[in-house]
């Protein structure tokens, strides 16, 4: 057991755990986006979907705690690795020119912090109803929690829209490097698939951000309305 | 040609160091970068000043000791070469050139542009070898291997251990170096019996030496004078994961190829 722990505490082992937890979070983000796209089908679809998730409290809380655990492991490891990496180069270069490092790869720590702040805000806003409690208890005609009305109310507010778009920028940057980087950390490499692996990150990031931004802007521009 | 050089001067490991500006005059386009530095040093010596300390040995792109960060890029602006193969025609006349040493905690500065790269030697000593008892061992060429395998091993073996990957990496990681050494030996039959111990020991040594971890930015690949690809880092990750599986008892090591004939 001690050997196994030391195996995953090494520079490569930590990256493997970072990759696995990161990929787990990305899978959740994709399904979260797909679920929310039901807003385009109207209040009944979204509210009954939300009710369905809440009808299985054991499953819901298992998923929530599971998600929280892997997020915590991911964040703690990210901090540990960042500190270790900073120690590895105490003196910076006077001039630093990058040859092929993408903007996303160079801003992982920044986009990660933006993303974390956004997630905390999003949970306080939507899950806990702390930011704007006005619609928290509202139910629709069928007796479901009116998630749809709350979403419409939120994204009519330019400040909320701005914050969500900033969060999507952080998410897009982080995911676009994360997916391909994770595959490399897990040792997935083959001449026939390398192009696919490299484009997987930007493709997933584009998919998730486009889906989420479509919801935000559709409400803000009045395409989807109450 | 005339150049303005901002060169990092540091009297010794304890000195804090600083940039000093020199003028390189009467430089011909055909001069190599090191020859240009030689000419600057000749003038410094004639003026009774301390010449700039920099490392050099083969001047043929083989030894990798000419480790300089030139305008923010290890080994300078051209791909796939060492500093000694860089020529002054590559720079416009009158250019300002900033020259720094490799910067990493594991590469302490000895003087000026010379750094102590023995950390890489210690990583090699931890497992970057094959323990073959000479005498009873079969000649290497008797063991036939596939062309792909031979080419992979050869590509990885081209690493000269210059440390440019460490210098270029945002995290000062030596993972491309370790990956090249591990992949080279693990792709050959002679290297397979020790592959589990090797990857673990070399990585532990790398971590002990204070190098960072890979951020998959691939700057190492871009500056490697031997153009060693980051696919070897993926291979290193696979080797390391495999080592974990072997150590858990789910997979066993192959026999040494020379064991039967011994």
């Amino acid at each position: 057991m001690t050997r196994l722990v030391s195996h995953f505490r090494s520079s490569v082992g930590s990256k493997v755990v970072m990759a696995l937890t990161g990929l787990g979070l990305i899978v959740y983000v994709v399904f979260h986006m797909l679920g929310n796209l039901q807003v385009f089908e109207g209040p009944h679809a979204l509210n009954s979907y939300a009710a369905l998730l809440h009808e299985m409290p054991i499953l819901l809380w298992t998923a929530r705690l599971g998600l929280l655990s892997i997020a915590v492991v991911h964040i703690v490891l990210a901090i540990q690795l960042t500190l270790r990496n900073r120690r590895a180069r105490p003196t910076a270069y006077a001039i630093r020119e990058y040859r092929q490092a993408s903007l996303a790869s160079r801003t992982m720590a920044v986009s990660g912090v933006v993303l974390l702040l956004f997630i905390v805000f999003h949970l306080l806003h939507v899950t806990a109803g702390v930011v704007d409690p006005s619609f928290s208890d509202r139910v629709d005609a069928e007796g479901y929690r009116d998630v749809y009305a709350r979403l419409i109310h939120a994204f009519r507010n330019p400040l909320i829209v701005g914050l969500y778009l900033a969060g999507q920028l952080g998410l897009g940057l982080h995911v676009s490097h994360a997916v391909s980087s994770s595959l490399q950390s897990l040792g997935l490499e083959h001449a026939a698939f390398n192009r696919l692996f490299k484009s997987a990150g930007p493709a997933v990031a584009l998919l998730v951000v486009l889906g989420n931004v479509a919801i935000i802007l559709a409400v803000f521009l009045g395409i989807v309305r109450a | 040609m005339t150049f303005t050089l901002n060169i990092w001067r540091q009297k010794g490991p304890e000195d804090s160091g600083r940039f000093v500006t020199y003028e390189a005059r009467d430089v011909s386009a055909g001069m190599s970068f090191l020859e240009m530095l030689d000419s600057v040093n000749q003038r410094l010596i004639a003026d009774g000043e301390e010449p700039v300390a920099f490392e050099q040995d083969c001047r043929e792109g083989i030894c990798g000791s000419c480790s300089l960060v030139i305008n923010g890029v290890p080994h300078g602006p051209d791909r796939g070469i060492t500093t000694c193969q860089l020529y002054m025609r590559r720079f416009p006349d009158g250019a300002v050139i900033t020259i720094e040493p490799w910067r990493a905690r594991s590469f302490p500065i000895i003087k000026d542009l010379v750094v102590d790269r023995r950390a890489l030697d210690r990583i090699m000593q931890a497992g970057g070898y094959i323990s073959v008892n000479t005498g009873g061992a079969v000649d290497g060429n008797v063991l036939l291997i596939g062309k792909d395998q031979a080419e992979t091993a050869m590509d990885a073996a081209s690493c000269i251990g210059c440390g440019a990957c460490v210098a270029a990496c945002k995290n000062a990681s030596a993972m491309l170096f370790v990956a090249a050494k591990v992949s080279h030996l693990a792709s050959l039959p002679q290297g397979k019996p020790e592959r589990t111990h090797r990857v673990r020991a070399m990585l532990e040594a790398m971590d002990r030496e204070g190098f960072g971890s890979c951020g998959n930015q691939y700057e190492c690949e871009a500056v490697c004078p031997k153009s060693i690809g980051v696919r070897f880092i993926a291979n290193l990750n696979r080797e390391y994961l495999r080592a974990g599986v072997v150590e858990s008892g789910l997979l066993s090591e192959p026999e040494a190829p020379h064991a039967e004939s011994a």
Side-chain angles (χ1 to χ4, degrees):
Chain A
M1 190 65 192
T2 320
R3 196 125 179 97
L4 195 68
V5 169
S6 83
H7 200 76
F8 285 102
R9 282 187 69 85
S10 71
S11 48
V12 168
S14 300
K15 291 289 294 178
V16 167
V17 179
M18 279 287 282
L20 290 173
T21 50
L23 288 175
L25 292 169
I26 288 168
V27 167
Y28 168 75
V29 166
V30 171
F31 279 101
H32 182 63
M33 181 270 292
L34 291 174
N36 285 346
L37 280 177
Q38 292 178 86
V39 71
F40 289 105
E41 289 185 41
H44 173 73
L46 191 67
N47 291 347
S48 54
Y49 168 66
L52 180 74
L53 295 179
H54 283 88
E55 270 170 20
M56 302 172 280
I58 295 175
L59 204 64
L60 180 72
W61 278 100
T62 308
R64 278 178 172 173
L65 291 175
L67 209 55
L68 181 70
S69 317
I70 61 172
V72 167
V73 170
H74 192 75
I75 293 163
V76 168
L77 275 177
I79 294 168
Q80 280 181 352
L81 279 168
T82 305
L83 292 176
R84 183 195 286 187
N85 293 339
R86 292 239 166 112
R87 279 197 300 273
R89 174 163 299 127
T91 313
Y93 288 107
I95 296 180
R96 185 78 177 86
E97 194 188 299
Y98 287 98
R99 286 287 186 80
Q100 59 188 42
S102 63
L103 176 72
S105 76
R106 299 206 308 266
T107 51
M108 281 304 270
V110 177
S111 60
V113 170
V114 169
L115 197 50
L116 179 62
L117 291 173
F118 170 70
I119 291 167
V120 171
F121 169 77
H122 179 57
L123 291 175
L124 289 174
H125 178 220
V126 173
T127 311
V130 175
V131 175
D132 181 7
S134 57
F135 276 69
S136 295
D137 301 325
R138 188 187 276 208
V139 288
D140 65 8
E142 294 169 75
Y144 294 136
R145 285 168 70 241
D146 203 346
V147 178
Y148 184 87
R150 183 138 57 112
L151 193 143
I152 302 288
H153 171 71
F155 292 146
R156 298 295 288 173
N157 181 341
L159 181 67
I160 299 282
V161 168
L163 288 170
Y164 271 73
L165 290 180
Q168 292 309 305
L169 183 68
L171 177 72
L173 269 176
H174 206 70
V175 170
S176 74
H177 178 64
V179 177
S180 314
S181 177
S182 300
L183 299 178
Q184 168 88 352
S185 294
L186 294 172
L188 292 171
E189 174 277 325
H190 190 281
F193 301 110
N194 281 348
R195 190 174 286 183
L196 181 72
F197 291 156
K198 276 194 176 170
S199 51
V204 173
L206 195 69
L207 177 83
V208 172
V209 170
L210 279 182
N212 288 339
V213 168
I215 297 168
I216 299 165
L217 291 185
V219 175
F220 186 63
L221 299 173
I223 299 165
V224 170
R225 60 184 78 189
Chain B
M1 299 171 95
T2 304
F3 299 98
T4 303
L5 308 178
N6 292 322
I7 303 179
W8 183 258
R9 301 302 308 263
Q10 189 170 332
K11 288 185 179 127
E14 305 307 321
D15 184 26
S16 54
R18 74 219 68 84
F19 280 101
V20 179
T21 305
Y22 298 96
E23 196 160 82
R25 291 188 289 265
D26 304 323
V27 176
S28 77
M31 266 186 180
S32 77
F33 200 83
L34 299 188
E35 284 167 343
M36 182 274 296
L37 285 178
D38 288 338
S39 73
V40 171
N41 273 346
Q42 285 302 320
R43 209 184 70 237
L44 289 176
I45 292 165
D47 293 346
E49 288 182 49
E50 182 85 8
V52 179
F54 65 91
E55 258 194 287
Q56 50 89 30
D57 187 18
C58 74
R59 298 209 179 195
E60 291 178 328
I62 297 167
C63 77
S65 63
C66 49
S67 48
L68 302 176
V69 173
I70 301 160
N71 285 344
V73 182
H75 292 304
D78 288 332
R79 285 188 182 236
I81 61 163
T82 50
T83 302
C84 67
Q85 297 171 299
L86 176 65
Y87 289 87
M88 296 315 292
R89 58 177 171 264
R90 184 65 177 75
F91 300 91
D93 192 14
V96 176
I97 304 172
T98 300
I99 310 167
E100 292 181 76
W102 281 180
R103 292 200 188 276
R105 181 164 73 109
S106 313
F107 289 163
I109 295 176
I110 298 170
K111 189 179 181 181
D112 296 337
L113 303 170
V114 181
V115 300
D116 180 354
R117 289 176 297 170
R118 282 179 295 176
L120 298 186
D121 297 336
R122 290 189 289 271
I123 294 174
M124 287 300 282
Q125 285 159 2
Y129 50 80
I130 293 172
S131 309
V132 176
N133 296 321
T134 53
V138 176
D139 182 84
N141 292 333
V142 173
L143 293 167
L144 297 180
I145 57 170
K147 188 169 185 293
D148 287 353
Q149 213 177 333
E151 283 185 351
T152 299
M154 200 62 198
D155 285 349
S158 65
C159 172
I160 52 177
C162 68
C165 47
V166 177
C169 175
K170 182 182 160 209
N171 305 331
S173 172
M175 224 168 254
L176 188 65
F177 167 78
V178 176
K181 300 300 178 188
V182 163
S183 303
H184 162 213
L185 297 175
S187 14
L188 297 172
Q190 293 92 335
K192 288 193 191 295
E194 290 171 293
R195 63 198 283 199
T196 303
H197 163 76
R198 178 180 307 114
V199 67
R200 182 179 256 284
M202 289 184 81
L203 261 170
E204 281 173 358
M206 188 193 94
D207 289 350
R208 226 174 16 247
E209 293 291 343
F211 291 102
S213 62
C214 178
N216 298 321
Q217 291 194 325
Y218 307 155
E219 284 297 302
C220 51
E221 176 185 79
V223 302
C224 176
K226 299 300 163 189
S227 304
I228 293 172
V230 290
R231 71 185 178 105
F232 289 116
I233 298 183
N235 190 53
L236 169 72
N237 297 335
R238 277 203 302 275
E239 280 291 314
Y240 192 70
L241 286 171
R242 182 194 164 279
V245 176
V246 169
E247 284 169 356
S248 65
L250 295 171
L251 201 70
S252 58
E253 289 279 34
E255 287 290 311
H258 54 275
E260 287 172 19
S261 58

